[in-house]
Amino acid sequence: MSHFAQIARVPGDPILGLMEAYRSDRNPAKLDLGVGVYKDAQGLTPIPRAVKLAEQRLVDSETTKSYIGGHGDALFCSHLARLVLGAASPLLAEQRAAASQTPGGTGALRLAADFIGHCLPGRGIWLSDPTWPIHETIFAEAGLRVGHYPYVGADNRLNVEAMIAALSHLPQGDVVLLHACCHNPTGFDLAQDDWRRVLEVIKARELLPVIDFAYQGFGDGLEQDAWAVRLFASELSELLITSSCSKNFGLYRERTGALIVCTSEAEKLLDVRSQLAFIARNLWSTPPAHGAAVVATILDDGELRKLWRDELEAMRQRVAGLRLGLVEALRPYGLAERFAHIAEQRGMFSYTGLSPQQVQRLRDQYGVYMVGSGRANVAGLDSERLDALAQAIARVCSS
Ligand code: LMR
């Protein structure tokens, strides 16, 4: 008898699978606009200098590899909560908010999903249409009812009216997942007035927001990107925020993130955190130490912190410049208007509006890899190759 005979094969991950396909492509002109990692002018995903310096300090000073606690590295958690909520946040002063370290932003989402599943049974979660595909599966795997609210219309533009209308009819008490900035996969972010309107609906329907904050510093700046998160934290008594250090610290493979919980009272925060520690113990026991120690070392040191902020700002500006550059490179082909949204979007990703067939042709004929939905990782571009990419796009658009 075979125990495994009935096990079917599931399709590979649509985003990580692209990395492997790209690696095995022998086309010397290939271009990877798939998975969301930043690349520099040399096409490398650099380790920030601040990270290297912090790692060196850790090598010299680390005295043990014993476990860190269930909520992770306390110094990391305290700095990250301040980075997200603001150093002057009254919630932190009143001990009504705290971070639990998780293996990356994905771990934070999984912890949030299991927390909702265990502690708030029966609540559905509502995701933007479209959203990061892993949002769909994480919450479904945790047993939550998953629904969608419209976000981008058929014209590939943000549709705030449809979003607000849908949120206004959600079951009272349900959970809504929002992207703080640099919406993945579209790159379309809400304006401040839109956020205020969403907040009013959330209050009226008594919804619980989970804000996914994976790209702090990649949109309009470190503080600017936190605007909506801080508005919600100041106006709502309860809130979950998932934060990632993968992109802004370049710590992708170190799996460094946190789930930040805001509550109405300090006592309630302790109750919630006891549940999180219980759930995390069953998921990963204690989180990995290295990435969090690096972040804590950087944020705890004035010089390293400044160096990191400058490096992050340079990455942000480079991506913003590439967006403008691509639209300009498309101009000679009469496509600047059609793709003007690429310059208006924020963060790493652009929902280009290219069809799955056009994406496939870009890959087969020009070695350009992007996600089938038409999502391109602009942070994977390089200014020397904008013209070649524009030409390839023009060719697939004209036939
Ligand atoms: C992406 O969407 O490409 C990134 O968030 C990386 C990932 O884990 O999918």
Side-chain angles (χ1 to χ4, degrees):
M1 169 192 149
S2 165
H3 293 286
F4 299 154
Q6 299 306 317
I7 297 176
R9 193 173 306 178
V10 293
D13 181 84
I15 297 175
L16 297 183
L18 275 181
M19 276 179 106
E20 281 154 40
Y22 176 81
R23 279 184 193 140
S24 51
D25 189 333
R26 302 181 109 117
N27 180 349
K30 64 186 178 177
L31 183 58
D32 182 9
L33 307 182
V35 70
V37 293
Y38 172 85
K39 299 213 182 105
D40 64 15
Q42 284 71 48
L44 299 171
T45 300
I47 303 173
R49 180 110 187 91
V51 167
K52 275 293 199 194
L53 290 168
E55 285 185 314
Q56 193 56 58
R57 277 194 205 173
L58 288 169
V59 168
D60 295 342
S61 64
E62 200 173 48
T63 52
T64 180
K65 294 283 186 192
S66 178
Y67 297 117
I68 52 176
H71 291 290
D73 180 324
L75 187 62
F76 164 81
C77 288
S78 133
H79 276 299
L80 198 74
R82 277 188 278 162
L83 192 68
V84 168
L85 295 171
S89 166
L91 280 124
L92 295 172
E94 293 159 20
Q95 299 183 335
R96 292 194 289 117
S100 298
Q101 187 195 325
T102 56
T106 309
L109 286 159
R110 180 66 208 216
L111 185 57
D114 276 0
F115 168 70
I116 296 163
H118 287 151
C119 299
L120 308 172
R123 309 289 182 98
I125 184 149
W126 298 84
L127 311 175
S128 65
D129 178 19
T131 194
W132 185 47
I134 317 308
H135 284 149
E136 311 274 354
T137 44
I138 284 179
F139 289 100
E141 285 291 315
L144 273 71
R145 176 172 39 87
V146 177
H148 300 92
Y149 57 85
Y151 192 73
V152 165
D155 58 352
N156 196 30
R157 293 288 181 278
L158 185 62
N159 190 345
V160 181
E161 296 310 321
M163 174 185 181
I164 304 263
L167 295 183
S168 310
H169 291 98
L170 296 191
Q172 196 172 25
D174 264 5
V175 183
V176 184
L177 187 126
L178 300 162
H179 300 227
C181 66
C182 310
H183 184 272
N184 182 2
T186 69
F188 288 114
D189 283 347
L190 298 178
Q192 293 192 351
D193 280 348
D194 302 329
W195 277 112
R196 287 197 188 92
R197 291 177 66 197
V198 169
L199 176 64
E200 288 317 309
V201 179
I202 281 176
K203 284 183 183 170
R205 300 298 306 154
E206 298 183 287
L207 303 169
L208 173 66
V210 175
I211 306 189
D212 190 357
F213 201 11
Y215 299 93
Q216 185 174 5
F218 266 90
D220 290 317
L222 206 49
E223 298 298 313
Q224 294 90 325
D225 290 349
W227 184 87
V229 170
R230 293 175 189 173
L231 173 75
F232 275 48
S234 68
E235 293 273 330
L236 297 171
S237 49
E238 291 165 341
L239 178 63
L240 300 174
I241 305 155
T242 58
S243 167
S244 169
C245 302
S246 295
K247 330 281 169 170
N248 52 10
F249 285 86
L251 283 170
Y252 306 88
R253 65 172 63 168
E254 301 297 353
R255 313 310 301 136
T256 309
L259 174 62
I260 299 173
V261 181
C262 306
T263 59
S264 53
E265 289 162 25
E267 275 300 305
K268 190 45 65 188
L269 183 66
L270 298 178
D271 296 338
V272 173
R273 281 170 62 77
S274 72
Q275 295 283 352
L276 296 181
F278 172 78
I279 296 166
R281 176 74 165 135
N282 291 290
L283 286 171
W284 48 74
S285 190
T286 60
H290 182 72
V294 169
V295 171
T297 304
I298 293 172
L299 295 181
D300 204 48
D301 178 286
E303 259 175 57
L304 286 182
R305 190 185 177 101
K306 175 164 185 332
L307 176 60
W308 165 69
R309 286 183 78 122
D310 291 348
E311 291 184 284
L312 173 58
E313 181 58 15
M315 288 195 277
R316 188 189 76 76
Q317 287 187 12
R318 175 176 155 75
V319 179
L322 287 165
R323 286 183 175 281
L324 295 171
L326 181 55
V327 175
E328 280 316 304
L330 286 159
R331 194 171 296 283
Y333 302 96
L335 292 173
E337 297 297 308
R338 173 167 166 189
F339 289 100
H341 55 272
I342 295 178
E344 289 153 22
Q345 294 160 335
R346 287 285 178 278
M348 290 187 161
F349 302 117
S350 169
Y351 227 37
T352 56
L354 292 167
S355 68
Q357 294 74 19
Q358 289 167 331
V359 169
Q360 191 64 44
R361 282 192 58 208
L362 278 173
R363 174 168 161 179
D364 295 343
Q365 294 174 12
Y366 303 99
V368 176
Y369 285 72
M370 56 176 83
V371 181
S373 60
R375 186 195 85 168
N377 172 32
V378 183
L381 268 171
D382 131 28
S383 57
E384 303 286 298
R385 299 176 64 191
L386 291 176
D387 289 335
L389 176 61
Q391 191 178 69
I393 291 176
R395 292 218 175 116
V396 301
C397 287
S398 69
S399 51

